[in-house]
Amino acid sequence: MNKDRKLIIAGNWKMNKTVAEALDLVNGLKRELANVKEVDIVVCPPFTALSEVSKAILDSNIRLGAQNMSEHAVGAYTGEIAAVMLKEFSVRYVILGHSERRQYQKESNDLIARKALAAHAAALKPIICIGETLQEREAGRTEAVLEEQLTGSLAGLSPEQMEETILAYEPVWAIGTGRNATSEQAQAAHAFIRRWLSTKFGDTVARRVRIQYGGSVKPSNARELMSQPDVDGALVGGASLEVRSFSDIVKNSI
Ligand code: PGA
């Protein structure tokens, strides 16, 4: 595939996998994906498995991501995890503002923007999730919602930080439902996001930012989705929990 942006495919394991299960999965992925150089491959285990998964992927082509982090650097924030703590396990990426956190933890665009700045301050690359609900899409509000989320969640980022940020377009109605966006719907949203980036950060930055698609990505739809000109990878939930399906998604995307 001939895109100047390298594809980045990340597995969001959500609240799944004990340490033993996480090691089984990641060791399987290491075997299956050892020869893949064309794609940045990232796994995002739960916090409790970061330490062991980090050791297991040393000397492999698999990189580590976390699913969330605190906006604060240190201090009295019971139950929170700081960026420096993630760095101890060689975490490179952190998912921020996933729709499940926006919905269940009431995370706001403001909070996500503060977390993104904290991530950059620690040299972690944020994967910032945005996407409309079914109700918003049916009301013709998709672009307005994306614009509001982009404006809010990326507030305060410098152009240099923006280039080191990954965006994930994840229509809420496609997450965990088996109903993925069509490649046309994904491409239209990604092109809108890139135009917005171009207006705010300039053409060069907009051309460099990688935009993942997320929402019911499977081995059977990965190739078509990834072949869209503005789709630069995938954020995969359910299908990232098995060696076969995640490695087939990666292989089918090349
Ligand atoms: P899904 O989840 O692949 O299970 O739809 C995607 C996500 O939530 O990132």
Side-chain angles (χ1 to χ4, degrees):
M1 192 175 305
N2 189 16
K3 264 183 217 165
D4 35 358
R5 295 175 295 272
K6 190 174 183 188
L7 287 181
I8 176 164
I9 300 183
N12 173 11
W13 298 359
K14 307 191 181 182
M15 200 175 71
N16 295 286
K17 306 293 178 189
T18 61
V19 171
E21 291 165 348
L23 287 174
D24 273 353
L25 174 53
V26 83
N27 286 326
L29 294 176
K30 261 171 71 176
R31 277 194 302 275
E32 285 293 322
L33 298 173
N35 298 322
V36 175
K37 296 182 186 59
E38 302 87 339
V39 179
D40 285 335
I41 304 164
V42 182
V43 293
C44 304
F47 291 127
T48 46
L50 286 175
S51 171
E52 290 301 316
V53 171
S54 174
K55 287 181 221 158
I57 59 177
L58 278 176
D59 302 323
S60 85
N61 55 345
I62 300 176
R63 299 285 169 264
L64 197 56
Q67 299 174 19
N68 177 40
M69 57 168 258
S70 172
E71 65 182 299
H72 301 290
V74 65
Y77 301 101
T78 302
E80 294 290 300
I81 305 279
V84 289
M85 299 167 184
L86 300 178
K87 297 282 288 188
E88 287 189 293
F89 303 118
S90 306
V91 169
R92 309 258 186 114
Y93 300 89
V94 58
I95 300 171
L96 296 179
H98 189 280
S99 64
E100 286 151 15
R101 296 200 62 85
R102 290 178 185 264
Q103 185 183 350
Y104 306 136
Q105 271 75 34
K106 305 280 175 270
E107 290 201 359
S108 65
N109 290 315
D110 280 359
L111 174 68
I112 295 158
R114 291 197 298 276
K115 289 186 178 193
L117 289 169
H120 282 297
L124 285 172
K125 292 184 203 301
I127 299 176
I128 299 183
C129 304
I130 57 174
E132 81 288 357
T133 63
L134 188 57
Q135 206 183 14
E136 289 162 344
R137 174 166 282 265
E138 286 175 346
R141 296 193 56 238
T142 298
E143 293 190 351
V145 170
L146 294 179
E147 180 157 15
E148 187 184 317
Q149 292 174 333
L150 288 164
T151 306
S153 312
L154 304 176
L157 290 190
S158 68
E160 293 73 23
Q161 289 171 328
M162 189 64 237
E163 269 188 36
E164 297 296 319
T165 300
I166 291 120
L167 294 176
Y169 169 61
E170 298 207 305
V172 178
W173 48 270
I175 295 178
T177 59
R179 180 185 166 197
N180 60 285
T182 64
S183 50
E184 292 78 19
Q185 287 170 325
Q187 170 55 28
H190 286 226
F192 172 80
I193 293 166
R194 206 176 300 285
R195 282 198 301 278
W196 183 90
L197 286 171
S198 170
T199 318
K200 299 289 172 187
F201 293 94
D203 275 349
T204 309
V205 173
R207 258 200 317 277
R208 289 183 181 156
V209 173
R210 293 184 289 181
I211 309 173
Q212 296 176 315
Y213 167 78
S216 299
V217 175
K218 306 178 265 266
S220 58
N221 60 24
R223 189 185 305 275
E224 162 138 23
L225 285 161
M226 296 310 119
S227 66
Q228 300 305 307
D230 288 295
V231 177
D232 309 311
L235 185 55
V236 186
S240 73
L241 298 175
E242 301 286 339
V243 174
R244 172 62 40 219
S245 47
F246 189 67
S247 50
D248 281 351
I249 287 171
V250 172
K251 290 175 190 170
N252 291 351
S253 301
I254 299 171

